[in-house]
């Protein structure tokens, strides 16, 4: 039979143990660390979730759009092929799930244009428990399970979480269970403790979803990735992670990876985690998802697969080939690789 597919784009999900001169204990993301397949090289930093989502769902890249574009608000006016259209063509229920208002980022109109059957948002889902001011990952995960258990047809769920959203105020949670050590100002330490607690709860929620999937007969593919690094503000310069509170637009590959990589998990209840995917642009997620599901498609696996083999990262500023060699400022050069 056909596998069920659940994609979780986890709000501001990142590995905070990448911060130098800071120790977090215990590890806030043991499940994801064990299951990690690679990284997503996010085109954004600290925000602009919708642009990452656009790449993940369509296989198109923001690198070819004018700087500062927001496709969800500017370009999507008519039906446009996406993973939702693909899965519906395969007889799936295709559903978008996000525990916030449906007008935000124009999602209601965009998801319709993308071919989703339904958009489950704050307006048409049961009231969710909050952690801080946002719906918790735990309650969202329980809702995903509840919806999945009601379906007989194979389904594709695209879920955008909310709990991890900034700002990371000091007393968001009554109790933080991740200890932060290191030479940081008290305010930064509190921000990082709040953030790390959210990471722990996102990790716990993924484990809950995997435990549920492991009890199911049907193959269930779960994909989780962070949309961008969190807006941790002065934590970044004060820990020595980077000079400023926001990412630089240009830099060495090492620097760009540090400022743009978020964890990626591609996992199946039948075969476990896919390993060694490496660092990839979100535009290649559709390729990875369909490949894992055993599907073939001229665009998502054919065309994108061919490009992925040569250039796994296509960023506005930087092109990175399969050998890990970067071409900075590629868009302004006299000759652009024909494949691109």
């Amino acid at each position: 039979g056909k596998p069920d597919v659940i994609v979780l784009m986890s709000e501001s999900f990142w590995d905070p143990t990448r911060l130098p001169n800071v120790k977090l204990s215990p590890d806030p993301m043991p499940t994801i660390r064990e299951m990690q397949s690679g990284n997503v090289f996010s085109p954004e930093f600290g925000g602009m979730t919708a642009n990452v989502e656009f790449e993940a769902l369509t296989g198109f890249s923001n690198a070819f759009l004018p700087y500062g574009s927001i496709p969800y608000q500017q370009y999507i006016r008519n039906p446009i092929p996406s993973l939702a259209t693909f899965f519906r063509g395969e007889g799936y229920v295709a559903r978008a799930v996000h525990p916030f208002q449906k007008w935000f980022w124009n999602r209601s109109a965009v998801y319709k244009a993308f071919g989703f059957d339904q958009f489950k948002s704050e307006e048409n889902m049961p009231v969710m428990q909050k952690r801080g001011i946002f719906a918790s990952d735990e309650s969202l995960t329980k809702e995903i399970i509840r919806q999945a258990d009601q379906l007989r047809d194979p389904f594709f769920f695209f879920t955008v979480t909310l709990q991890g959203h900034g700002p990371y105020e000091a007393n968001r949670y009554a109790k933080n269970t991740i200890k932060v050590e290191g030479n940081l100002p008290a305010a930064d330490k509190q921000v990082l403790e709040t953030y790390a607690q959210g990471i722990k709860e996102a990790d716990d929620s993924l484990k809950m979803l995997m435990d549920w999937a492991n009890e199911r007969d049907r193959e269930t593919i779960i994909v989780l990735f962070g949309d961008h690094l969190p807006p941790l503000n002065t934590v970044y310069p004060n820990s020595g992670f980077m000079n400023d509170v926001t990412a630089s637009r240009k830099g060495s590959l090492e620097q760009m990876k540090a400022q743009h990589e978020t964890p990626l998990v591609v996992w199946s209840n039948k075969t476990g985690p896919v390993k060694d995917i490496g660092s990839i642009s979100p535009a290649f997620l559709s390729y990875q998802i369909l490949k894992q599901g055993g599907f073939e498609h001229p665009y998502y696996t054919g065309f994108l697969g061919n490009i992925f083999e040569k250039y796994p990262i296509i960023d506005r500023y930087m092109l990175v080939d399969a050998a890990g060699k970067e071409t900075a400022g590629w868009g302004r050069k006299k000759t652009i690789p024909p494949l691109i």
Side-chain angles (χ1 to χ4, degrees):
K2 295 177 172 178
D4 289 327
V5 179
I6 300 173
V7 177
L8 303 157
M9 186 168 74
S10 188
E11 174 60 48
S12 298
F13 191 93
W14 177 64
D15 178 0
T17 67
R18 289 179 77 155
L19 289 167
N21 311 312
V22 173
K23 184 169 183 287
L24 301 175
S25 52
D27 181 3
M29 45 175 272
T31 310
I32 290 168
R33 199 172 306 287
E34 183 192 346
M35 301 296 177
Q36 193 166 346
S37 306
N39 289 289
V40 162
F41 186 96
S42 175
E44 300 295 344
F45 177 91
M48 304 297 276
T49 300
N51 288 356
V52 185
E53 194 176 313
F54 166 74
E55 289 203 16
L57 283 169
T58 62
F60 300 148
S61 171
N62 292 287
F64 303 105
L65 297 173
Y67 182 76
S69 297
I70 305 173
Y72 272 27
Q73 290 173 342
Q74 294 160 307
Y75 300 126
I76 298 169
R77 294 285 178 270
N78 299 303
I80 177 173
S82 79
L83 277 177
T85 342
F86 170 81
F87 278 113
R88 278 183 69 185
E90 294 286 332
Y92 277 61
V93 169
R95 193 174 285 177
V97 184
H98 180 50
F100 200 60
Q101 288 114 348
K102 58 170 56 146
W103 59 266
F104 199 63
W105 287 126
N106 198 27
R107 280 194 176 102
S108 194
V110 169
Y111 287 157
K112 196 170 259 173
F114 279 174
F116 281 100
D117 298 302
Q118 248 185 330
F119 174 22
K120 293 284 196 182
S121 63
E122 195 174 59
E123 290 90 345
N124 59 5
M125 280 196 292
V127 174
M128 302 218 174
Q129 275 186 310
K130 303 265 199 288
R131 292 287 281 145
I133 57 172
F134 297 119
S136 77
D137 283 359
E138 181 186 9
S139 60
L140 179 61
T141 304
K142 286 177 174 165
E143 173 61 16
I144 292 167
I145 291 170
R146 189 188 72 81
Q147 290 187 32
D149 284 343
Q150 292 175 342
L151 294 171
R152 301 192 62 161
D153 289 329
F155 61 81
F156 164 61
F157 285 179
F158 182 79
T159 307
V160 181
T161 74
L162 195 57
Q163 181 180 337
H165 211 289
Y168 306 102
E169 65 285 356
N171 301 312
R172 181 187 288 199
Y173 306 118
K175 185 168 180 282
N176 290 329
T177 58
I178 307 295
K179 191 171 159 210
V180 174
E181 294 170 284
N183 192 14
L184 279 178
D188 283 345
K189 218 170 234 179
Q190 288 177 323
V191 163
L192 191 51
E193 277 179 1
T194 295
Y195 178 72
Q197 183 63 27
I199 291 295
K200 180 203 181 297
E201 294 181 20
D203 192 83
D204 288 345
S205 295
L206 179 67
K207 185 174 186 312
M208 181 187 4
L209 194 63
M210 287 175 165
D211 288 347
W212 164 80
N214 277 327
E215 299 295 311
R216 305 183 82 218
D217 292 332
R218 185 183 281 168
E219 182 175 9
T220 309
I221 295 169
I222 297 173
V223 176
L224 175 137
F225 64 98
D227 53 356
H228 48 68
L229 267 70
L232 289 177
N233 214 328
T234 48
V235 169
Y236 291 128
N238 289 339
S239 66
F241 180 75
M242 58 190 192
N243 297 333
D244 208 352
V245 296
T246 55
S248 34
R249 270 179 62 190
K250 301 174 178 180
S252 68
L253 179 58
E254 192 183 1
Q255 187 185 0
M256 295 287 279
K257 279 187 159 188
Q259 297 175 5
H260 291 275
E261 278 185 341
T262 63
L264 168 65
V265 174
V266 178
W267 176 91
S268 157
N269 62 345
K270 299 295 183 209
T271 53
V274 179
K275 288 291 186 179
D276 303 319
I277 287 178
S279 194
I280 70 170
S281 286
F284 294 117
L285 284 165
S286 49
Y287 164 65
Q288 297 293 342
I289 293 163
L290 296 194
K291 191 171 81 162
Q292 177 59 26
F295 293 103
E296 284 188 2
H297 181 272
Y299 179 73
Y300 295 111
T301 58
F303 179 76
L304 287 180
N306 287 340
I307 296 182
F308 176 77
E309 298 298 323
K310 296 196 174 63
Y311 299 105
I313 296 175
I314 299 177
D315 182 67
R316 186 182 302 284
Y317 171 68
M318 188 173 273
L319 202 55
V320 184
D321 70 17
K325 186 176 173 302
E326 79 263 29
T327 309
W330 59 274
R332 296 170 187 266
K333 296 205 184 314
K334 284 206 172 70
T335 58
I336 288 177
L339 197 62
I340 301 294

